[in-house]
Coordinates of all heavy atoms in Angstrom, one line a residue:
M43 N 20.3 -59.8 12.6 CA 19.2 -58.9 12.3 C 17.8 -59.5 12.7 O 17.7 -60.7 12.8 CB 19.2 -58.5 10.8 CG 18.7 -57.1 10.5 SD 19.4 -55.8 11.5 CE 20.9 -55.5 10.6
T44 N 16.9 -58.6 12.9 CA 15.6 -59.1 13.3 C 14.5 -58.1 12.9 O 14.8 -57.0 12.4 CB 15.5 -59.4 14.8 OG1 14.2 -59.9 15.1 CG2 15.7 -58.1 15.6
H45 N 13.3 -58.4 13.1 CA 12.2 -57.5 13.0 C 11.8 -57.1 14.4 O 11.9 -57.8 15.3 CB 11.0 -58.0 12.2 CG 11.2 -57.9 10.7 ND1 12.3 -58.5 10.1 CD2 10.5 -57.4 9.7 CE1 12.3 -58.2 8.7 NE2 11.1 -57.5 8.5
I46 N 11.2 -55.9 14.5 CA 10.9 -55.3 15.8 C 9.4 -54.9 15.8 O 8.9 -54.3 14.8 CB 11.7 -54.0 16.1 CG1 13.2 -54.3 15.9 CG2 11.3 -53.4 17.5 CD1 13.8 -55.0 17.0
I47 N 8.7 -55.2 16.8 CA 7.3 -54.6 17.0 C 7.4 -53.4 17.8 O 8.0 -53.4 18.9 CB 6.3 -55.6 17.6 CG1 6.3 -56.9 16.7 CG2 4.9 -55.0 17.7 CD1 5.4 -58.0 17.2
A48 N 6.8 -52.3 17.4 CA 6.8 -51.0 18.1 C 5.5 -50.6 18.6 O 4.5 -51.3 18.5 CB 7.5 -50.0 17.1
E49 N 5.4 -49.3 19.0 CA 4.3 -48.8 19.8 C 2.9 -49.0 19.2 O 1.9 -49.2 19.9 CB 4.5 -47.3 20.0 CG 3.6 -46.7 21.0 CD 4.1 -45.3 21.4 OE1 4.9 -45.3 22.4 OE2 3.7 -44.3 20.8
P50 N 2.7 -48.9 17.9 CA 1.3 -49.1 17.4 C 0.6 -50.4 17.7 O -0.6 -50.5 17.7 CB 1.5 -48.9 15.8 CG 2.7 -48.1 15.7 CD 3.6 -48.6 16.8
C51 N 1.4 -51.4 18.1 CA 0.8 -52.7 18.5 C 0.1 -52.5 19.9 O -0.9 -53.2 20.1 CB 1.8 -53.8 18.6 SG 1.1 -55.4 19.0
V52 N 0.6 -51.6 20.7 CA 0.0 -51.5 22.0 C -1.5 -51.1 21.9 O -1.9 -50.2 21.1 CB 0.7 -50.3 22.8 CG1 0.0 -50.1 24.2 CG2 2.1 -50.7 23.0
A53 N -2.3 -51.9 22.5 CA -3.8 -51.7 22.5 C -4.4 -52.2 21.1 O -5.6 -52.2 21.0 CB -4.2 -50.3 22.7
T54 N -3.6 -52.6 20.2 CA -4.2 -53.2 19.0 C -4.2 -54.8 19.1 O -5.2 -55.4 19.2 CB -3.4 -52.8 17.7 OG1 -3.3 -51.4 17.7 CG2 -4.1 -53.4 16.5
K55 N -2.9 -55.3 19.2 CA -2.8 -56.7 19.7 C -3.8 -57.7 19.0 O -4.4 -58.5 19.6 CB -3.1 -56.8 21.2 CG -1.9 -56.9 22.0 CD -2.2 -56.9 23.5 CE -2.9 -58.2 24.0 NZ -3.2 -58.1 25.5
D56 N -4.0 -57.5 17.7 CA -5.0 -58.3 17.0 C -4.4 -59.7 16.6 O -5.2 -60.5 16.0 CB -5.6 -57.6 15.8 CG -4.5 -57.4 14.7 OD1 -3.3 -57.5 15.0 OD2 -4.9 -57.1 13.6
T57 N -3.1 -59.9 16.7 CA -2.4 -61.2 16.4 C -2.4 -61.5 14.9 O -2.1 -62.7 14.6 CB -2.9 -62.4 17.2 OG1 -4.2 -62.8 16.7 CG2 -3.0 -62.1 18.7
A58 N -2.7 -60.6 14.1 CA -2.7 -60.9 12.6 C -1.3 -61.4 12.2 O -1.1 -62.3 11.3 CB -3.1 -59.7 11.8
C59 N -0.2 -60.9 12.8 CA 1.1 -61.2 12.5 C 1.5 -62.7 12.9 O 2.2 -63.3 12.2 CB 2.1 -60.3 13.1 SG 1.8 -60.1 14.9
V60 N 0.9 -63.1 13.9 CA 1.2 -64.5 14.5 C 0.9 -65.5 13.4 O 1.7 -66.5 13.2 CB 0.4 -64.7 15.8 CG1 0.5 -66.2 16.2 CG2 0.8 -63.8 16.9
D61 N -0.2 -65.4 12.7 CA -0.7 -66.4 11.8 C 0.3 -66.5 10.6 O 0.3 -67.6 10.0 CB -2.1 -66.0 11.3 CG -3.1 -66.1 12.4 OD1 -2.8 -66.8 13.4 OD2 -4.1 -65.4 12.3
V62 N 1.0 -65.5 10.2 CA 1.9 -65.6 9.0 C 3.3 -66.0 9.3 O 4.1 -66.3 8.4 CB 1.8 -64.4 8.2 CG1 0.4 -64.1 7.7 CG2 2.3 -63.2 8.9
C63 N 3.7 -65.9 10.6 CA 5.1 -66.1 10.9 C 5.5 -67.6 10.8 O 4.9 -68.4 11.5 CB 5.4 -65.6 12.3 SG 7.2 -65.9 12.7
P64 N 6.4 -67.9 9.9 CA 6.7 -69.3 9.6 C 7.5 -70.0 10.7 O 7.6 -71.2 10.8 CB 7.5 -69.3 8.3 CG 8.1 -67.9 8.3 CD 7.2 -67.0 9.0
V65 N 8.1 -69.2 11.6 CA 8.9 -69.8 12.7 C 8.4 -69.6 14.1 O 9.0 -69.8 15.1 CB 10.4 -69.3 12.6 CG1 11.1 -69.8 11.3 CG2 10.5 -67.8 12.6
D66 N 7.1 -69.1 14.1 CA 6.4 -68.9 15.4 C 7.2 -68.1 16.5 O 7.3 -68.5 17.6 CB 6.1 -70.3 16.0 CG 5.0 -71.0 15.2 OD1 4.2 -70.3 14.5 OD2 5.0 -72.2 15.2
C67 N 7.8 -67.0 16.0 CA 8.6 -66.2 16.9 C 7.9 -64.9 17.4 O 8.6 -64.0 17.9 CB 10.0 -65.9 16.3 SG 9.9 -64.7 14.9
I68 N 6.6 -64.9 17.2 CA 5.9 -63.7 17.7 C 4.9 -64.1 18.9 O 4.1 -65.0 18.7 CB 5.0 -63.0 16.6 CG1 5.9 -62.8 15.4 CG2 4.4 -61.8 17.2 CD1 5.1 -62.2 14.2
H69 N 5.1 -63.5 20.0 CA 4.4 -63.9 21.2 C 4.0 -62.7 22.1 O 4.7 -61.7 21.9 CB 5.2 -64.9 22.1 CG 5.4 -66.2 21.4 ND1 6.4 -66.5 20.6 CD2 4.6 -67.3 21.5 CE1 6.3 -67.8 20.2 NE2 5.2 -68.3 20.7
P70 N 3.1 -62.8 23.0 CA 2.3 -64.0 23.3 C 1.2 -64.2 22.2 O 0.7 -63.2 21.7 CB 1.6 -63.7 24.6 CG 1.6 -62.2 24.7 CD 2.8 -61.7 24.0
T71 N 0.9 -65.4 21.9 CA -0.2 -65.7 21.1 C -1.5 -65.8 21.9 O -1.4 -65.8 23.2 CB 0.0 -67.1 20.3 OG1 -0.1 -68.1 21.3 CG2 1.3 -67.2 19.7
K72 N -2.6 -66.0 21.3 CA -3.9 -66.1 22.1 C -3.9 -67.3 23.0 O -4.6 -67.4 24.0 CB -5.1 -66.1 21.2 CG -5.4 -64.7 20.6 CD -6.5 -64.7 19.6 CE -6.8 -63.3 19.1 NZ -7.6 -63.3 17.9
D73 N -3.0 -68.3 22.7 CA -2.9 -69.5 23.5 C -2.0 -69.4 24.7 O -1.9 -70.3 25.5 CB -2.4 -70.7 22.6 CG -3.5 -71.1 21.5 OD1 -4.7 -70.8 21.8 OD2 -3.0 -71.6 20.5
D74 N -1.2 -68.3 24.7 CA -0.2 -68.1 25.8 C -0.9 -67.6 27.0 O -1.8 -66.7 26.9 CB 0.9 -67.2 25.4 CG 1.8 -67.9 24.4 OD1 2.0 -69.1 24.4 OD2 2.4 -67.2 23.5
E75 N -0.5 -68.0 28.2 CA -1.1 -67.6 29.5 C -1.1 -66.1 29.7 O -2.1 -65.5 30.3 CB -0.4 -68.2 30.6 CG -0.9 -69.5 31.1 CD -0.1 -70.1 32.2 OE1 0.7 -69.3 32.9 OE2 -0.2 -71.3 32.4
D76 N -0.1 -65.4 29.2 CA 0.0 -64.0 29.5 C -0.6 -63.1 28.4 O -0.3 -61.9 28.4 CB 1.5 -63.6 29.7 CG 2.4 -64.0 28.5 OD1 2.0 -64.9 27.7 OD2 3.5 -63.3 28.4
F77 N -1.3 -63.7 27.5 CA -1.9 -62.9 26.4 C -2.7 -61.7 26.9 O -2.6 -60.6 26.4 CB -2.7 -63.7 25.4 CG -3.2 -62.9 24.3 CD1 -2.4 -62.5 23.2 CD2 -4.6 -62.5 24.2 CE1 -2.9 -61.7 22.2 CE2 -5.1 -61.7 23.2 CZ -4.2 -61.3 22.2
E78 N -3.6 -62.0 27.9 CA -4.5 -60.9 28.3 C -3.8 -59.8 29.0 O -4.2 -58.6 28.9 CB -5.5 -61.5 29.3 CG -6.5 -62.5 28.6 CD -7.3 -61.8 27.5 OE1 -7.6 -60.6 27.5 OE2 -7.7 -62.5 26.5
T79 N -2.7 -60.1 29.7 CA -2.0 -59.1 30.5 C -0.9 -58.4 29.7 O -0.5 -57.3 30.0 CB -1.4 -59.7 31.7 OG1 -0.6 -60.8 31.4 CG2 -2.5 -60.1 32.7
A80 N -0.5 -59.0 28.6 CA 0.6 -58.4 27.8 C 0.1 -57.1 27.2 O -1.0 -57.0 26.6 CB 1.1 -59.3 26.7
E81 N 1.0 -56.1 27.2 CA 0.7 -54.8 26.6 C 0.6 -54.9 25.1 O -0.2 -54.2 24.4 CB 1.7 -53.8 27.0 CG 1.4 -52.4 26.7 CD 2.4 -51.4 27.3 OE1 3.6 -51.7 27.3 OE2 2.0 -50.3 27.8
M82 N 1.5 -55.7 24.5 CA 1.6 -55.8 23.0 C 2.3 -57.2 22.7 O 2.5 -58.0 23.6 CB 2.5 -54.7 22.5 CG 3.8 -54.6 23.2 SD 4.9 -53.3 22.5 CE 5.7 -54.2 21.2
L83 N 2.5 -57.4 21.5 CA 3.2 -58.6 21.1 C 4.7 -58.3 20.8 O 5.0 -57.1 20.5 CB 2.6 -59.3 19.8 CG 1.4 -60.3 20.1 CD1 0.3 -59.6 20.8 CD2 1.0 -60.9 18.9
Y84 N 5.5 -59.3 20.8 CA 7.0 -59.1 20.7 C 7.6 -60.2 19.8 O 7.1 -61.3 19.7 CB 7.6 -59.2 22.1 CG 7.0 -58.4 23.1 CD1 6.0 -58.9 23.9 CD2 7.4 -57.1 23.4 CE1 5.3 -58.2 24.9 CE2 6.7 -56.3 24.3 CZ 5.7 -56.9 25.1 OH 5.1 -56.1 26.1
I85 N 8.7 -59.8 19.1 CA 9.4 -60.8 18.2 C 10.6 -61.3 18.9 O 11.4 -60.4 19.4 CB 9.7 -60.1 16.9 CG1 8.4 -59.8 16.1 CG2 10.6 -61.0 16.1 CD1 8.5 -59.0 14.8
E86 N 10.8 -62.6 18.9 CA 12.0 -63.2 19.5 C 13.2 -63.0 18.5 O 13.2 -63.6 17.4 CB 11.8 -64.6 19.8 CG 12.9 -65.3 20.5 CD 12.6 -66.7 20.9 OE1 11.6 -67.3 20.3 OE2 13.3 -67.2 21.8
P87 N 14.1 -62.2 18.8 CA 15.2 -61.8 17.8 C 16.0 -63.0 17.3 O 16.5 -63.0 16.2 CB 16.0 -60.7 18.5 CG 15.7 -60.8 20.0 CD 14.3 -61.4 20.1
D88 N 16.3 -63.9 18.2 CA 17.2 -65.0 17.8 C 16.5 -66.0 16.9 O 17.2 -66.8 16.2 CB 17.7 -65.8 19.1 CG 18.6 -64.9 19.9 OD1 19.1 -63.9 19.3 OD2 18.9 -65.3 21.0
T89 N 15.2 -66.0 16.8 CA 14.5 -66.9 16.0 C 14.0 -66.3 14.7 O 13.8 -67.0 13.7 CB 13.3 -67.5 16.8 OG1 13.7 -68.0 18.1 CG2 12.6 -68.7 16.0
C90 N 13.7 -65.0 14.7 CA 13.2 -64.3 13.5 C 14.2 -64.5 12.3 O 15.4 -64.4 12.5 CB 13.1 -62.9 13.8 SG 12.6 -61.8 12.4
I91 N 13.6 -64.9 11.2 CA 14.5 -65.2 10.0 C 14.4 -64.0 9.0 O 14.8 -64.1 7.9 CB 14.1 -66.5 9.3 CG1 12.6 -66.5 8.9 CG2 14.5 -67.7 10.2 CD1 12.2 -67.7 8.0
D92 N 13.8 -62.9 9.4 CA 13.7 -61.7 8.6 C 13.0 -61.9 7.3 O 13.3 -61.3 6.3 CB 15.1 -61.2 8.3 CG 15.6 -60.2 9.4 OD1 14.7 -59.6 10.1 OD2 16.8 -60.0 9.6
C93 N 12.0 -62.7 7.3 CA 11.3 -63.0 6.0 C 10.4 -61.8 5.6 O 10.0 -61.7 4.5 CB 10.4 -64.3 6.2 SG 9.0 -64.1 7.3
G94 N 10.0 -61.0 6.6 CA 9.2 -59.8 6.3 C 7.7 -60.1 6.1 O 6.9 -59.1 5.9
L95 N 7.2 -61.3 6.3 CA 5.8 -61.6 6.0 C 4.9 -60.8 7.0 O 3.8 -60.5 6.6 CB 5.6 -63.1 6.1 CG 6.1 -63.9 5.0 CD1 5.9 -65.4 5.3 CD2 5.4 -63.6 3.7
C96 N 5.3 -60.7 8.2 CA 4.5 -60.0 9.2 C 4.3 -58.5 9.0 O 3.3 -58.0 9.4 CB 5.1 -60.2 10.6 SG 6.8 -59.6 10.7
V97 N 5.2 -57.9 8.3 CA 5.1 -56.4 8.1 C 3.8 -56.0 7.4 O 3.1 -55.1 7.8 CB 6.4 -56.0 7.3 CG1 6.2 -54.5 7.0 CG2 7.6 -56.2 8.1
D98 N 3.5 -56.6 6.3 CA 2.3 -56.3 5.5 C 1.0 -56.7 6.2 O 0.0 -56.2 5.9 CB 2.4 -56.9 4.1 CG 3.5 -56.2 3.3 OD1 3.8 -55.0 3.6 OD2 4.0 -56.8 2.3
E99 N 1.2 -57.7 7.1 CA 0.0 -58.2 7.7 C -0.5 -57.3 8.8 O -1.7 -57.3 9.2 CB 0.4 -59.6 8.3 CG -0.7 -60.6 8.4 CD -1.3 -60.8 7.0 OE1 -0.6 -60.9 6.0 OE2 -2.5 -61.1 6.9
C100 N 0.3 -56.4 9.3 CA 0.0 -55.6 10.5 C -0.9 -54.4 10.1 O -0.4 -53.5 9.3 CB 1.2 -55.1 11.2 SG 0.8 -54.1 12.6
P101 N -2.1 -54.3 10.6 CA -3.0 -53.2 10.2 C -2.6 -51.8 10.6 O -3.1 -50.8 10.1 CB -4.4 -53.6 10.8 CG -4.0 -54.4 12.0 CD -2.7 -55.2 11.6
V102 N -1.7 -51.8 11.6 CA -1.3 -50.5 12.2 C 0.2 -50.2 11.9 O 0.8 -49.2 12.5 CB -1.6 -50.4 13.7 CG1 -3.1 -50.3 13.9 CG2 -1.0 -51.5 14.5
K103 N 0.8 -51.0 11.0 CA 2.2 -50.7 10.6 C 3.1 -50.6 11.8 O 3.9 -49.7 12.0 CB 2.3 -49.5 9.8 CG 1.5 -49.5 8.5 CD 2.1 -50.3 7.5 CE 1.2 -50.5 6.2 NZ 1.1 -51.9 5.8
A104 N 3.0 -51.6 12.7 CA 3.8 -51.6 13.9 C 5.1 -52.4 13.8 O 6.0 -52.3 14.7 CB 3.0 -52.2 15.1
I105 N 5.3 -53.1 12.7 CA 6.5 -54.0 12.6 C 7.5 -53.4 11.5 O 7.1 -53.1 10.4 CB 6.1 -55.4 12.2 CG1 4.9 -55.9 13.1 CG2 7.3 -56.4 12.2 CD1 4.4 -57.3 12.7
F106 N 8.7 -53.4 11.9 CA 9.8 -52.9 11.1 C 11.0 -53.8 11.1 O 11.3 -54.4 12.1 CB 10.3 -51.5 11.6 CG 9.2 -50.5 11.7 CD1 8.4 -50.4 12.8 CD2 9.0 -49.6 10.6 CE1 7.4 -49.5 12.9 CE2 8.0 -48.7 10.7 CZ 7.2 -48.6 11.8
P107 N 11.8 -53.9 9.9 CA 13.1 -54.5 10.0 C 13.9 -53.6 11.0 O 13.7 -52.4 11.0 CB 13.6 -54.3 8.6 CG 12.4 -54.0 7.7 CD 11.4 -53.4 8.6
E108 N 14.8 -54.2 11.7 CA 15.5 -53.4 12.8 C 16.2 -52.2 12.2 O 16.1 -51.1 12.8 CB 16.6 -54.4 13.4 CG 17.2 -53.8 14.6 CD 18.1 -54.7 15.3 OE1 18.4 -55.8 14.8 OE2 18.5 -54.4 16.5
E109 N 16.7 -52.3 11.0 CA 17.4 -51.1 10.4 C 16.5 -50.0 10.0 O 17.0 -48.9 9.8 CB 18.3 -51.5 9.3 CG 17.6 -52.1 8.0 CD 17.4 -53.6 8.0 OE1 17.3 -54.2 9.1 OE2 17.2 -54.2 7.0
D110 N 15.2 -50.3 9.9 CA 14.3 -49.2 9.5 C 13.4 -48.7 10.6 O 12.4 -48.0 10.4 CB 13.3 -49.8 8.4 CG 14.1 -50.1 7.1 OD1 15.2 -49.5 6.9 OD2 13.6 -50.9 6.3
L111 N 13.7 -49.2 11.8 CA 12.8 -48.8 13.0 C 12.9 -47.3 13.2 O 14.0 -46.7 13.3 CB 13.3 -49.5 14.2 CG 12.5 -49.3 15.5 CD1 11.1 -49.9 15.4 CD2 13.3 -49.9 16.7
P112 N 11.8 -46.5 13.2 CA 11.8 -45.1 13.4 C 12.5 -44.7 14.7 O 12.3 -45.4 15.7 CB 10.3 -44.7 13.4 CG 9.6 -45.8 12.6 CD 10.4 -47.0 12.9
S113 N 13.3 -43.7 14.7 CA 14.1 -43.4 15.9 C 13.3 -43.1 17.1 O 13.7 -43.4 18.2 CB 15.0 -42.2 15.6 OG 14.2 -41.1 15.2
E114 N 12.1 -42.6 17.0 CA 11.3 -42.4 18.2 C 10.8 -43.7 18.9 O 10.4 -43.7 20.0 CB 10.0 -41.5 17.9 CG 8.9 -42.2 17.1 CD 9.0 -41.9 15.6 OE1 10.1 -41.7 15.1 OE2 7.9 -41.7 15.0
W115 N 11.0 -44.8 18.1 CA 10.6 -46.1 18.7 C 11.8 -47.0 19.0 O 11.7 -48.2 19.1 CB 9.6 -46.8 17.8 CG 8.3 -46.1 17.8 CD1 7.7 -45.3 18.8 CD2 7.3 -46.1 16.7 NE1 6.5 -44.8 18.4 CE2 6.2 -45.3 17.1 CE3 7.3 -46.7 15.5 CZ2 5.1 -45.1 16.3 CZ3 6.2 -46.5 14.7 CH2 5.1 -45.7 15.1
E116 N 13.0 -46.4 19.0 CA 14.3 -47.1 19.2 C 14.2 -48.0 20.4 O 14.8 -49.1 20.4 CB 15.4 -46.1 19.4 CG 16.7 -46.4 18.8 CD 17.6 -45.2 18.8 OE1 18.3 -45.0 19.8 OE2 17.5 -44.4 17.8
K117 N 13.6 -47.6 21.5 CA 13.6 -48.4 22.7 C 12.9 -49.7 22.5 O 13.1 -50.7 23.3 CB 12.9 -47.6 23.9 CG 11.4 -47.4 23.7 CD 10.8 -46.7 24.9 CE 9.3 -46.5 24.6 NZ 8.6 -45.7 25.7
Y118 N 12.1 -49.9 21.5 CA 11.4 -51.1 21.3 C 12.3 -52.3 20.9 O 11.9 -53.4 21.1 CB 10.2 -50.9 20.3 CG 9.0 -50.3 21.0 CD1 8.9 -48.9 21.0 CD2 8.1 -51.0 21.6 CE1 7.9 -48.2 21.6 CE2 7.0 -50.4 22.3 CZ 6.9 -49.0 22.3 OH 5.9 -48.4 23.0
T119 N 13.5 -52.0 20.4 CA 14.4 -53.1 20.2 C 14.7 -53.9 21.5 O 14.5 -55.1 21.5 CB 15.7 -52.5 19.6 OG1 15.5 -51.8 18.4 CG2 16.7 -53.6 19.4
Q120 N 15.0 -53.1 22.5 CA 15.3 -53.7 23.8 C 14.0 -54.3 24.4 O 14.0 -55.3 25.1 CB 15.9 -52.7 24.8 CG 16.5 -53.3 26.0 CD 17.6 -54.4 25.7 OE1 18.5 -54.1 24.9 NE2 17.5 -55.5 26.4
I121 N 12.9 -53.6 24.2 CA 11.6 -54.1 24.8 C 11.2 -55.5 24.2 O 10.8 -56.4 24.9 CB 10.5 -53.1 24.5 CG1 10.7 -51.8 25.4 CG2 9.1 -53.7 24.7 CD1 9.8 -50.7 25.1
N122 N 11.5 -55.7 22.9 CA 11.2 -57.0 22.3 C 12.2 -58.0 22.9 O 11.7 -59.1 23.3 CB 11.4 -56.9 20.8 CG 10.1 -56.4 20.1 OD1 9.5 -57.1 19.3 ND2 9.8 -55.1 20.3
I123 N 13.4 -57.7 23.1 CA 14.4 -58.6 23.7 C 14.0 -59.0 25.1 O 14.0 -60.2 25.5 CB 15.8 -58.0 23.7 CG1 16.3 -57.9 22.2 CG2 16.8 -58.8 24.5 CD1 17.6 -57.0 22.1
D124 N 13.7 -58.0 25.9 CA 13.4 -58.2 27.3 C 12.2 -59.1 27.5 O 12.2 -59.9 28.5 CB 13.0 -56.8 28.0 CG 14.2 -56.0 28.2 OD1 15.4 -56.4 28.0 OD2 14.0 -54.8 28.5
Y125 N 11.2 -59.1 26.6 CA 10.1 -60.0 26.8 C 10.6 -61.4 26.9 O 10.1 -62.2 27.7 CB 9.1 -59.8 25.7 CG 7.9 -60.8 25.8 CD1 6.9 -60.7 26.7 CD2 7.9 -61.9 25.0 CE1 5.9 -61.6 26.8 CE2 6.9 -62.9 25.1 CZ 5.9 -62.7 26.0 OH 4.9 -63.6 26.1
Y126 N 11.5 -61.8 26.0 CA 11.9 -63.2 26.0 C 13.0 -63.5 27.1 O 13.1 -64.6 27.6 CB 12.5 -63.5 24.6 CG 11.4 -63.5 23.6 CD1 11.1 -62.4 22.8 CD2 10.5 -64.6 23.5 CE1 10.0 -62.4 22.0 CE2 9.4 -64.6 22.6 CZ 9.2 -63.4 21.9 OH 8.1 -63.4 21.0
E127 N 13.7 -62.5 27.5 CA 14.7 -62.7 28.5 C 14.1 -62.9 29.9 O 14.7 -63.4 30.8 CB 15.8 -61.6 28.5 CG 16.6 -61.8 27.2 CD 17.9 -61.0 27.3 OE1 18.0 -60.0 28.1 OE2 18.8 -61.3 26.5
N128 N 12.9 -62.3 30.0 CA 12.2 -62.4 31.3 C 11.2 -63.5 31.4 O 10.4 -63.6 32.4 CB 11.5 -61.0 31.6 CG 12.5 -59.9 31.7 OD1 13.6 -60.1 32.2 ND2 12.1 -58.7 31.3
Q129 N 11.2 -64.4 30.4 CA 10.3 -65.6 30.5 C 10.7 -66.5 31.6 O 11.9 -66.8 31.8 CB 10.4 -66.3 29.1 CG 9.6 -65.6 28.0 CD 8.1 -65.5 28.2 OE1 7.5 -66.5 28.2 NE2 7.6 -64.3 28.4
Ligands
SF4_296 S1 10.0 -61.2 9.8 FE1 9.2 -63.3 9.4 S2 10.3 -64.6 10.9 FE2 10.5 -62.5 11.6 S3 8.7 -62.2 13.0 FE3 8.1 -61.5 10.9 S4 7.1 -63.3 10.0 FE4 8.3 -64.0 11.8
SF4_297 S1 -0.3 -57.5 13.5 FE1 0.6 -55.6 14.3 S2 -0.9 -54.8 15.8 FE2 -1.5 -56.9 15.3 S3 -0.5 -58.1 17.0 FE3 0.9 -58.0 15.2 S4 2.3 -56.3 15.6 FE4 0.5 -56.1 16.9

């Protein structure tokens, strides 16, 4: 299981979630080369420990436990995976 970042992050990208993640599995951070060009941030599913700390931190409610992801944003599960597979 993992957490997923969905559409509300697009164009928000304030990185509030990055600061609270204990395992640094949310990227790109402001220190990453692709931060400016990335549409949004993504969670690395294999590293996420499902602590849920990022959920309350997000001002636009973009982060969900995988099982609670709204159906209209289903595609974001794969979008989060793809970001790390294309690194
Ligand atoms: S649920 Fe926890 S481990 Fe997973 S991305 Fe959020 S803060 Fe990081
Ligand atoms: S806190 Fe929410 S809007 Fe901000 S970068 Fe993280 S997921 Fe995106």
Side-chain angles (χ1 to χ4, degrees):
M43 210 51 81
T44 181
H45 277 55
I46 307 287
I47 301 180
E49 192 167 273
C51 182
V52 175
T54 306
K55 258 177 72 177
D56 67 344
T57 73
C59 52
V60 171
D61 294 336
V62 299
C63 180
V65 293
D66 293 333
C67 68
I68 308 176
H69 292 91
T71 69
K72 285 178 179 164
D73 295 332
D74 289 329
E75 269 180 18
D76 59 336
F77 180 76
E78 291 303 328
T79 54
E81 192 175 37
M82 53 177 273
L83 272 63
Y84 310 91
I85 292 173
E86 187 175 16
D88 291 344
T89 309
C90 174
I91 57 170
D92 271 337
C93 69
L95 289 174
C96 55
V97 173
D98 289 337
E99 213 57 36
C100 180
V102 291
K103 302 284 174 228
I105 311 178
F106 301 86
E108 189 171 13
E109 65 270 26
D110 294 338
L111 184 66
S113 55
E114 72 262 35
W115 292 332
E116 218 166 89
K117 67 178 181 182
Y118 282 89
T119 301
Q120 192 60 45
I121 288 172
N122 279 245
I123 292 169
D124 286 349
Y125 174 77
Y126 292 96
E127 290 195 339
N128 295 329
Q129 286 292 296

